Each structure stands twice: as structure tokens, then as C-alpha cells.
Amino acid sequence: MEQHLYDAAIDLFCELGYKKTTLIDIAAEANVSTRTLYKYFPTKESILRKFGKENILALKSFAGNLPASMPVEEKVLETMTQDFKLMFGLFDISYILHSARDESGMFTRFELENILASESIYCNIFKQEQLKQGVEPNEKVALCASVIMSLYRHCTDLYRFRKKGTFDEKGLRTFYRSHLDAIWDSLYQTLLEPPDKSSSLASIDRHLFGSMEG
């Protein structure tokens, strides 16, 4: 029943938009009473939270199933591309959330939860690379994951603004790669340094941006 109600809600979000869709509309689309709907989804926000959680679980599974032999930069690139497909392949989630902003801070909470959950996926990718290279997993995985998420969000916003709703997977991957390549050597060097070096965020900034200043 929960999945049935969720599917009905997503269909209406795609058709009418988040703001115009009401819980009554969702109940009618699912052919159930509003009381039944409230048992599973008392608010529209709870439906979006399920959307976010399902995407994160799908992304985590995707990243976890990438071949162990695949270079770590390729794993990051593939995960970034898949993240875009999950978040924007069905409907424009960011537009829906921005148009629905209110004093409850729904957009901020949703965005922060997804950023932190996505970062944990990159943390695991980097942790596996450290183990593979004989480095004891340390706090640098979190620093590198944070850099990747910042890059992902920046590139995604630029790509979506320029393409205005169109999606070209090959072009998106190339766009991500061009930005990822610019910082990868420094990021990878930081990831594999002994834990007693570059243990602060300031240090990773020096690695990533010092060469640009030169």
C-alpha cells in the first residue's frame, strides 16, 4: 500500500507539480481514503523524504556494485553520473523544492540530508581505495568526499542551467570529467598521504588549489 500511494504521488508531482498537488489529490489518484493515506504519508514532505531515501539506497547499491578493478576516478565519475540520473531523470526535484519553499525549511533539510548521505557513499569509495593501496582508512576520506560533493553540485547546477531540461548522458559524463580531472591528482595525493600529514581542511585546500595559483 505504501508503494502504491508513493507511486500515485510521484505521478501527480510529475503531472501537476509538487506545489499544486494536494494530499486529497493523491488519495483520489490511489483510489483510497485520506485516512489511509495519512497512515503512511501524513504530509507531502514525507513523500519527498521517501524519494530521497530510495535514491540514496539505489546510489549506494550502484556504487557498491562497480567492479573492484575499476580505477577509483572512474568509480567517482560513474557515481556522479548515476546520482544525476536518479535525482533528475524522473522529474526536476530541485525546481519542485524551490517552488515549494516555506518557513518550515523543507528544502534546506531535504538538501542537507541528501548531501550527507551522498558524501557517505563517496567516503566508502575512498576508504576502499585507501585499503587497496595499503593505507589505513582515516579522516581524509571525509575531506575528499566533501570536495567531490561540492564539485558535483557545482557542475550539476551549471549543466542543468545550460541544457535547460535536456539530458545527454555522454555529454554530462564528459562535463563532469573535465572538472574532475582538474583536481584529481591533488585530491588523490591527499587521499593516500600518511594520516599524520595534511590532517586539516586547510591542507587539502593547499593541495587542490595551490597548483592553480602557480
Side-chain angles (χ1 to χ4, degrees), residues 18-158:
Y18 179 86
K19 194 170 184 178
K20 292 183 179 180
T21 301
T22 67
L23 290 174
I24 294 176
D25 293 333
I26 296 170
E29 178 74 11
N31 197 28
V32 300
S33 66
T34 53
R35 174 178 289 186
T36 298
L37 174 62
Y38 294 156
K39 288 180 181 178
Y40 296 93
F41 299 110
T43 64
K44 289 194 294 182
E45 181 179 351
S46 62
I47 299 170
L48 284 180
R49 287 184 178 278
K50 178 176 174 63
F51 174 80
K53 289 178 180 178
E54 290 200 343
N55 280 356
I56 290 299
L57 288 175
L59 187 63
K60 183 177 181 180
S61 176
F62 174 87
N65 287 322
L66 291 172
S69 60
M70 179 181 286
V72 64
E73 184 179 6
E74 293 300 315
K75 288 184 179 181
V76 170
L77 180 63
E78 291 301 317
T79 302
M80 292 170 69
T81 305
Q82 183 68 11
D83 195 359
F84 183 99
K85 291 165 65 177
L86 289 170
M87 285 301 294
F88 302 103
L90 182 60
F91 59 92
D92 194 335
I93 184 68
S94 64
Y95 173 77
I96 288 173
L97 288 170
H98 276 291
S99 68
R101 278 190 173 185
D102 56 27
E103 294 180 357
S104 69
M106 177 185 67
F107 176 81
T108 301
R109 291 196 303 274
F110 182 92
E111 186 175 38
L112 181 58
E113 288 171 3
N114 279 276
I115 288 172
L116 294 176
S118 297
E119 280 190 4
S120 71
I121 294 173
Y122 291 109
C123 278
N124 190 58
I125 291 175
F126 290 137
K127 184 182 296 184
Q128 294 303 315
E129 182 64 15
Q130 285 185 331
L131 288 170
K132 182 178 178 181
Q133 299 301 328
V135 176
E136 185 71 20
N138 54 66
E139 75 281 357
K140 291 177 188 175
V141 298
L143 293 176
C144 292
S146 179
V147 170
I148 292 300
M149 274 305 299
S150 296
L151 182 70
Y152 167 78
R153 296 178 67 205
H154 173 72
C155 290
T156 297
D157 286 345
L158 284 177

